[in-house]
């Protein structure tokens, strides 16, 4: 029941600016198109996590927006835990147990968190780590967390996730796709005066 959301940015470069010879930039227009594409990918990333589904399918005066992961997880009837507590191995294991209690199965599990919570996860089991005298590296990076229930959860960090949110899910059950033939791409627009235009 989610809605589609359109991401679009325009690019317009004057003919003169495009023809100026810039050191290190073969085409100012292509350079700006690449920047706008990166900006749109960041907007998409933010919406996938924090998007709020609009009340209607949109109109000429009202744009539509899709629901993000946080809204889906916390929707009415969703499996959430709003207890305020410090993140620990016990908290992650309790969250994973909630999935089993609701007859869920995790095939390709993940933990989605902010970089701040990723640092907390990297301190799990810290008391049991041992180094060697010849060790030349410091620090520890956790890529996967194995729960007490046997779920192997890939740790994914994203800067758009709030620092007080942690999502455990299944990548096999989370999908996002473009409408057929409407993937992220560049389109040239009709020439207008002495300029190059696109979106």
């Amino acid at each position: 029941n989610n809605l589609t959301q359109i991401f679009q940015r325009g690019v317009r470069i004057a003919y003169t600016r495009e023809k100026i010879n810039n050191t290190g930039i073969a085409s100012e227009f292509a350079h700006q198109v690449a920047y706008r594409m990166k900006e749109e990918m960041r907007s998409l990333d933010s919406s996938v996590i924090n998007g709020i589904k609009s009340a209607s399918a949109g109109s000429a005066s009202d744009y539509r927006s899709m629901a993000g992961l946080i809204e889906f997880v916390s929707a009415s009837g969703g499996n959430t835990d709003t207890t305020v507590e410090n993140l620990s191995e016990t908290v992650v294991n309790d969250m994973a147990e909630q999935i089993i209690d609701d007859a869920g199965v995790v095939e390709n599990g993940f933990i989605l968190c902010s970089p701040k919570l990723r640092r907390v996860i990297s301190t799990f089991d810290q008391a049991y780590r041992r180094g060697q005298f010849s060790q030349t590296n410091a620090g520890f990076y956790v890529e996967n967390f194995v729960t007490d229930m046997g779920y192997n959860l890939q740790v994914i960090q994203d800067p758009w996730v709030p620092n007080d949110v942690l999502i455990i899910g299944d990548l096999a059950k989370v999908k996002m796709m473009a409408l057929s033939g409407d993937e992220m791409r560049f389109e040239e627009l009709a020439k207008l005066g002495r300029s190059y235009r696109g979106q």
Side-chain angles (χ1 to χ4, degrees):
N1 70 349
N2 205 357
L3 299 174
T4 59
Q5 182 170 335
I6 298 171
F7 297 86
Q8 177 179 325
R9 283 185 194 259
V11 180
R12 182 176 176 181
I13 298 293
Y15 184 84
T16 305
R17 184 173 171 192
E18 175 66 13
K19 295 305 178 184
I20 291 173
N21 187 12
N22 291 316
T23 304
I25 299 176
S27 166
E28 181 65 24
F29 186 70
H31 184 65
Q32 294 302 323
V33 166
Y35 271 138
R36 300 300 85 75
M37 188 67 78
K38 287 177 184 175
E39 288 172 5
E40 283 309 295
M41 294 305 277
R42 282 194 291 270
S43 296
L44 174 61
D45 183 27
S46 174
S47 294
V48 165
I49 294 170
N50 296 302
I52 302 296
K53 181 179 171 183
S54 53
S56 69
S59 65
S61 61
D62 183 30
Y63 70 90
R64 62 181 178 262
S65 58
M66 65 181 180
L69 284 172
I70 293 175
E71 184 176 7
F72 270 111
V73 169
S74 54
S76 177
N79 195 343
T80 60
D81 186 350
T82 56
T83 305
V84 178
E85 56 190 329
N86 291 330
L87 181 60
S88 67
E89 295 171 71
T90 303
V91 170
V92 175
N93 281 311
D94 289 347
M95 291 174 72
E97 186 178 359
Q98 281 183 292
I99 296 171
I100 293 176
D101 290 344
D102 285 349
V105 176
V106 176
E107 298 168 14
N108 192 3
F110 70 88
I111 296 174
L112 180 63
C113 61
S114 67
K116 183 174 185 175
L117 291 184
R118 174 72 177 258
R119 292 183 66 192
V120 174
I121 292 170
S122 291
T123 64
F124 291 175
D125 285 337
Q126 192 172 33
Y128 304 107
R129 296 180 201 155
R130 297 291 179 265
Q132 298 176 351
F133 288 115
S134 61
Q135 187 172 327
T136 58
N137 295 322
F140 202 79
Y141 180 77
V142 175
E143 294 182 352
N144 295 285
F145 179 83
V146 181
T147 69
D148 294 342
M149 280 62 64
Y151 293 156
N152 188 17
L153 304 175
Q154 178 187 356
V155 182
I156 302 171
Q157 72 181 19
D158 194 292
W160 292 109
V161 180
N163 286 331
D164 60 348
V165 172
L166 183 96
I167 297 174
I168 293 180
D170 189 343
L171 288 174
K173 298 180 177 87
V174 176
K175 300 289 181 198
M176 184 198 66
M177 58 186 291
L179 294 175
S180 180
D182 205 16
E183 296 82 11
M184 284 275 192
R185 68 191 185 284
F186 168 73
E187 284 183 357
E188 286 189 27
L189 296 176
K191 188 170 174 52
L192 181 65
R194 288 177 54 85
S195 65
Y196 295 95
R197 300 193 316 150
Q199 66 180 17

